[in-house]
Amino acid sequence: MSKRAVLAFALLVPLLGSCAPVASLLASRDDTGPAPFQFGPLIVGQTWTVSGTVTGRDVVTTVNIPELVIVPDGYASAGTRDQYTGFNEGRAGFNVATFDQERRTVTFRWVGPAEGFDRVTYTCKISRLIGEPLTGTLTYERNGQTVANGTCEARVSQQPG
């Protein structure tokens, strides 16, 4: 081996060693799989607890994020057809989380238990997506008409994985 070849090899050895941490990070990333899909604060696999007070009563629901699908203006945990059906039929317990990418807001909507023959829905709209818990405005509707507004908060109760 010539002196040039030995010198070139000697210069490359430290560079190869510096690649080891990157290779190690990539290998561990491959072992755990890709990161869950995320849009705004919503991450596939999360569970959110949403609570609030309106008309003197406390309400609470749990919203799972099994997937994020494209809907008008953003992403949601349920498709538009499922949302329409769930709310139109007044299926108590049906809920959805939506991230509006233009307005940078998160909305949690759910169907509450019927009050007599009235269909009840709640909407927690959050426009400030900083901090924990996220806080916003809670709207209480009966048969599609707003009855009252209150306050709400949403916090992640379970992370993916």
Side-chain angles (χ1 to χ4, degrees):
M1 231 190 214
S2 72
K3 285 185 181 181
R4 270 190 186 170
V6 171
L7 182 61
F9 182 72
L11 291 173
L12 285 175
V13 169
L15 291 176
L16 292 174
S18 69
C19 294
V22 173
S24 171
L25 286 173
L26 291 175
S28 66
R29 176 82 170 164
D30 289 341
D31 290 344
T32 60
F37 185 64
Q38 174 177 359
F39 216 88
L42 304 177
I43 302 173
V44 170
Q46 276 179 331
T47 300
W48 289 79
T49 300
V50 184
S51 59
T53 303
V54 65
T55 64
R57 72 176 105 165
D58 295 328
V59 295
V60 65
T61 192
T62 303
V63 180
N64 296 316
I65 314 295
E67 63 181 328
L68 288 172
V69 295
I70 298 173
V71 294
D73 299 325
Y75 286 82
S77 59
T80 305
R81 178 182 289 167
D82 291 333
Q83 288 184 51
Y84 176 79
T85 303
F87 285 98
N88 193 42
E89 293 177 358
R91 278 193 268 155
F94 181 82
N95 59 55
V96 65
T98 306
F99 177 72
D100 185 324
Q101 59 192 17
E102 280 186 30
R103 293 176 186 85
R104 310 270 324 145
T105 58
V106 173
T107 304
F108 297 94
R109 295 184 66 216
W110 69 96
V111 179
E115 295 175 0
F117 292 105
D118 296 337
R119 292 182 180 169
V120 173
T121 60
Y122 296 94
T123 302
C124 176
K125 186 173 185 175
I126 300 167
S127 4
R128 189 165 183 260
L129 304 179
I130 299 172
E132 173 84 15
L134 301 177
T135 57
T137 302
L138 179 66
T139 302
Y140 163 55
E141 295 180 349
R142 218 175 347 195
N143 293 329
Q145 301 296 315
T146 298
V147 174
N149 290 309
T151 59
C152 61
E153 67 178 37
R155 61 178 77 233
V156 177
S157 51
Q158 181 178 334
Q159 290 288 0

